[in-house]
Structure formats: C-alpha cells, structure tokens
Amino acid sequence: MSEYLTCKGYDTATPIHTVSTEGLSAWLETLTPAQFKWVKNNKFKGNKNETLKIAGSGGELAAVAIGLGSDDSLADPWALASAVKSLPEGNYRLHEDNDQKLTPIVWALAQYKFDRYLQKKNDSGAVLVLKNEGQLAEITAVISGITMVRDLINTPTCDMGPSHLSAVMKDLSDKYGADFTETVGDDLLAKGYNTIHAVGRAAVNQPRLLDMVWGCADAPKVTLVGKGVCFDTGGLDLKPSSGMRIMKKDMGGAAHTLGLAQLIMETGLDVRLRLLIPAVENNISGDAFRPGDIIKTYKGDTVEVDNTDAEGRLVLCDCLTLASEDKPDLMLDFATLTGAARVAMGPSIVPFFTDGDVLAYDLSQCSEEENDPVWRMPLYAPYAPGLKSNCADLNNMGSGPFGGAIMAALFLKHFVDEPEKWVHFDVYAWNMSDLPGRPKGGEAMGLRAVYAYLKGRFG
Ligand code: BES
Ligand code: ZN
Ligand code: ZN
C-alpha cells in the first residue's frame, strides 16, 4: 500500500478545501465568522500554491485551504502538488467533489524524494483518505510502478549496473511467480546475441540479456523490451562531460518496462507477459568495440558501427528479433534512444513510433485521458535507405544530422517482424528541473497512458 494513501478514517481526516480565485467568495460564505476573518486577515486569495491552515473553535486544525489559481488553470492536475508537500503529517480528505482522478496519484508522487543516500530521510507524511476503497489497490499499484521507475533511474551506476538490474528483475519474478532467465558475458556470443556483447564487453560488470515470462501461456502475448544501458559513456566516441553527466539514466527504458511489468502483474492483467532487457554498460577499455567494427546480429544481418554512442539500437535489435520469434500480439519497447527525440518534442512529451494506425490512435486517446503526453512520429520509409552501409547490411546511424529519432526508430523496425503490432517509445526518463509533483531526476513518462491502453485492451 502507498504510505500516502488510505481508506481508513475518512470522517476524522482533516478536510482540504481546494479554492480557485473565482471560487473564493462562494467558499468564504461556507465558513464560520471566525474562520472568515482568519482567511481575510491572512490574505488568502486562492492563488496557486497558497496554503492556509484553519483552526476550529478549540484551536485544533479544522481544515486546510489550498489555492488552485484561476479557473483556467484548474485543468492542471498537478496544481495541488506544491501545497501537498508543505502539509504537516496527518490524514486529510478532499472536502469538495474533487473528481480529478489523478489527484491521489499527484498526492503521492508529490511527496516522493530519492533519499537512499541521504542521512536525513524523507519525513513527509500527508496521507490522503479516499472514500472509494475499490480505487485504492489500483492507484497504489500505479504509484508503486512509477516510484520504482524513479528509484531505479536515480540510483547511480555503482549500485545499478547490469548485475543489479538483473537482481531487480529476479526479485520481481520471485514476487509474482514469473520465470526468470539470463544470459551473461561470453554466453551471449554462444547464443548469437553479439550486439549486446559488443556494446557491453568493455565493462567490468558483464553484459547480459535478462528475460522474464509471466502469466497464462494461452493469454494474449505482450512483450516489453527496455534499453538497459546502465551507463552510456558514448564508448570510444566518448561523450563530452556535459553530455555524460546524467547517463546513469540510460537504463530509463529498462526502468519503465520493469515498473510497467510490476503494474501489470500486480493488477493481474490477463496477458502472457514477457520482459526482455539487454543490460550493459557502454564503457571503454582495451577490448571496447570500435567505430568501423562490423557485428553480426542475432537476426543474421551485419551492422557496421558508425558511432559507438548509437549503442542503444544495437543492444535492442537482438532483443527485438528474439521477441518477434514468439509472435507477440503486442510488443512495446522503451528506450532513452536519441537526443534528437528531445530536440523534436522537448523533455516531457514522449515520441512513439508504430505502423499500427489503430494502435497509435488508441494510445493517443489514452494519453489525453490520462494527462500523460505521448505523440506519434512517423516511421518514414523513404528515409530508410539512409541506414545503408558500404561494407555491411546496415549502418547503426543515418548519414546526416537530421531526423535522428526517426532514423533510430527505422533501424529498430528492421528487426521487428510485425511492425503494426509494435510501438517504440523514445523516452527522456528525466526531469531536468523540479516541476510540481515531478522532482528533478528520474521520471516515468507515458507509463500511465500505456497502462490505460493495456487495461482497456486486456483488463
Ligand atoms: N543515450 C543516448 C541518447 C540520449 C542522450 C538520450 C541524451 C537522452 C539524452 C544515446 O545512446 C545516444 O548517445 N544517441 C546518440 C545517437 C547518435 C550518435 C546517432 C545521440 O542521440 O546523439
Ligand atoms: Zn549513446
Ligand atoms: Zn545510450
């Protein structure tokens, strides 16, 4: 259960009044004369991020008013977040009919702090009491999934290398009775996963392919693939220090798939779930893969390494071929794949690529309903020849500087059998600065939208 949500003690919880600037006068009329005076004297106007504690006749905390700003901004489900963080420990309930379905999620996510390495732990403890018990389990599962994504990304590579990611998947498998297998180090070569080996072999923490299977064998097959580059130095095409600084987050795709897998298993969606993660560190040593090297992929096609920093598509391509073998009904990959995706969409909108038009439409609908932005970008076929190489079947990047996110997606598509059943999400997985409810650091993006889609189709 989320430590910030409960169903117990609704009647004794402190009511919270969410007040907009336009709704202020109507709300004032509901108060006792003493409370009215208190609100006036404190100049509470209902502005965004304003919080006012209101005492009862015995001096007890009787209510809290939270300003939401003008009615225009009411559509912002995150408006409550900053105020929640400043509430004293205790149980609260929303007084008005606040039917924003995101409110409990915002409530919990706003109080998140990555405190694993801090001596002073997060002590925020404002608990929201929900009326509807039915909601609690699912909302809690969503929050735990997102919290897991954030924690995994925020944990530095010294404690979140390929072997640690493996332990995370193993624990998850044990918890939900899934089957877990992994292929480590040189065994990757024996099975033909040469791209995963090539990218990860320079690191001390050995490369591996993680594989988890859960659910009834005859249920619809959903396969998730997550880019698990635990650190991306760029390889021999070394990144400058500014670009390398946050590359602990390059396993953000893997974190998304682990969080989503947990959510699917916890809520018991009727699917046969498979999760594949190539877990590697793109590091350098005397044995690092080099620009110009040619790798034979698991599919059999050869790839020339034009740039060792375009490693994500290399580790993913063998997984996509493997995933295609059991003909999933739906295949989703998440990857912090390109800087170009950020140039196209900014940090918060997740571009996605698919050949499935209905799938794309339904995902976009869920995105809007869930207030979780994802946006379709084209797998523009006429660009595909840009991935040609002189001396291999394929090059690992396009020839020019343009359309980088599309070129990467087209590279991946080459390894997918049924691209109309596949979606590739190029996630940033990171908040560059603090936003209400979304602290700087690792972030789940598009996860609620995707879960809503899965629930609609398989729930
Ligand atoms: N992990 C990076 C992509 C990335 C960089 C995501 C910054 C988010 C923020 C990826 O491995 C990479 O380095 N991609 C290169 C590809 C290029 C060499 C074709 C890029 O986007 O610059
Ligand atoms: Zn890279
Ligand atoms: Zn990368």
Side-chain angles (χ1 to χ4, degrees):
M1 285 293 136
S2 166
E3 54 199 305
Y4 303 118
L5 299 176
T6 181
C7 271
K8 294 197 184 78
Y10 187 85
D11 294 333
T12 52
T14 306
I16 290 183
H17 303 258
T18 45
V19 184
S20 68
T21 44
E22 288 91 339
L24 180 70
S25 38
W27 173 66
L28 285 171
E29 284 172 24
T30 67
L31 302 179
T32 65
Q35 289 172 338
F36 182 96
K37 209 167 164 189
W38 175 254
V39 173
K40 283 284 183 193
N41 285 343
N42 278 282
K43 298 190 168 56
F44 179 85
K45 297 272 184 342
N47 289 322
K48 217 171 186 171
N49 300 334
E50 257 184 303
T51 312
L52 183 67
K53 297 182 189 86
I54 301 171
S57 51
E60 78 285 3
L61 179 61
V64 176
I66 292 179
L68 293 180
S70 101
D71 277 343
D72 299 344
S73 59
L74 288 188
D76 177 9
W78 300 100
L80 208 68
S82 310
V84 171
K85 265 172 62 177
S86 67
L87 291 176
E89 198 176 311
N91 282 7
Y92 298 85
R93 67 183 158 90
L94 288 161
H95 183 259
E96 281 83 2
D97 279 339
N98 185 315
D99 61 358
Q100 288 263 25
K101 69 175 188 179
L102 253 185
T103 300
I105 293 177
V106 169
W107 183 280
L109 293 183
Q111 298 185 71
Y112 173 87
K113 183 157 175 59
F114 181 64
D115 61 7
R116 175 166 167 179
Y117 300 90
L118 295 174
Q119 297 196 49
K120 185 183 174 317
K121 299 296 177 195
N122 184 18
D123 57 2
S124 81
V127 177
L128 181 65
V129 187
L130 299 178
K131 231 180 185 170
N132 181 349
E133 211 157 315
Q135 292 180 328
L136 186 63
E138 188 181 27
I139 291 174
T140 302
V142 172
I143 293 164
S144 322
I146 294 175
T147 303
M148 179 185 193
V149 175
R150 288 176 170 183
D151 282 344
L152 289 175
I153 299 171
N154 286 331
T155 305
T157 312
C158 54
D159 290 322
M160 196 46 71
S163 58
H164 304 90
L165 262 191
S166 160
V168 170
M169 200 198 272
K170 170 87 172 54
D171 286 350
L172 203 60
S173 304
D174 290 346
K175 182 168 176 200
Y176 292 98
D179 292 325
F180 170 74
T181 50
E182 64 176 332
T183 310
V184 185
D186 286 349
D187 288 350
L188 291 164
L189 295 174
K191 293 189 180 170
Y193 307 127
N194 300 326
T195 59
I196 302 172
H197 185 270
V199 172
R201 73 181 185 222
V204 171
N205 198 327
Q206 300 225 318
R208 43 190 90 206
L209 171 59
L210 313 176
D211 190 348
M212 180 181 92
V213 178
W214 173 89
C216 288
D218 51 2
K221 293 191 178 92
V222 174
T223 299
L224 307 177
V225 180
K227 172 176 170 182
V229 176
C230 296
F231 196 82
D232 185 8
T233 65
L236 290 171
D237 288 306
L238 197 65
K239 286 182 183 292
S241 40
S242 58
M244 203 190 297
R245 177 63 185 89
I246 58 170
M247 280 302 130
K248 69 173 181 182
K249 81 167 180 76
D250 214 19
M251 37 57 75
H256 276 70
T257 54
L258 284 161
L260 188 56
Q262 178 180 279
L263 180 50
I264 290 169
M265 297 190 291
E266 177 67 29
T267 55
L269 288 193
D270 185 21
V271 295
R272 200 288 324 242
L273 177 70
R274 186 176 191 187
L275 171 55
L276 291 169
I277 294 179
V280 302
E281 209 184 302
N282 186 17
N283 215 321
I284 43 180
S285 76
D287 191 30
F289 77 128
R290 315 157 190 84
D293 279 357
I294 294 177
I295 311 168
K296 184 160 187 171
T297 63
Y298 179 66
K299 183 180 160 110
D301 295 343
T302 53
V303 177
E304 182 176 17
V305 179
D306 207 13
N307 192 313
T308 59
D309 199 10
E311 85 298 337
R313 62 199 78 180
L314 291 174
V315 297
L316 287 171
C317 74
D318 279 356
C319 290
L320 293 173
T321 308
L322 176 65
S324 295
E325 282 176 357
D326 43 38
K327 301 203 173 310
D329 298 277
L330 181 66
M331 178 152 98
L332 307 174
D333 83 65
F334 289 79
T336 50
L337 204 62
T338 67
R342 310 291 57 93
V343 176
M345 294 282 165
S348 311
I349 302 172
V350 182
F352 72 88
F353 300 81
T354 179
D355 273 353
D357 292 341
V358 176
L359 181 52
Y361 178 82
D362 290 348
L363 263 174
S364 302
Q365 292 287 110
C366 292
S367 160
E368 202 157 315
E369 279 160 25
E370 296 298 319
N371 227 299
D372 194 17
V374 301
W375 202 266
R376 189 182 190 183
M377 278 181 77
L379 283 160
Y380 188 61
Y383 288 169
L387 291 166
K388 284 212 165 87
S389 149
N390 283 336
C391 43
D393 297 323
L394 215 58
N395 207 334
N396 82 331
M397 59 179 282
S399 45
F402 300 130
I406 299 176
M407 296 312 289
L410 284 169
F411 181 92
L412 295 183
K413 180 181 160 176
H414 181 88
F415 297 88
V416 175
D417 265 358
E418 296 183 285
E420 65 286 352
K421 296 183 180 171
W422 160 71
V423 190
H424 156 57
F425 295 89
D426 196 334
V427 281
Y428 192 42
W430 192 260
N431 296 320
M432 286 195 294
S433 52
D434 283 331
L435 292 164
R438 289 149 294 173
K440 184 175 174 180
E443 186 58 287
M445 297 177 169
L447 191 133
R448 286 182 293 105
V450 171
Y451 175 68
Y453 172 80
L454 294 174
K455 203 178 128 191
R457 187 164 157 190
F458 306 111

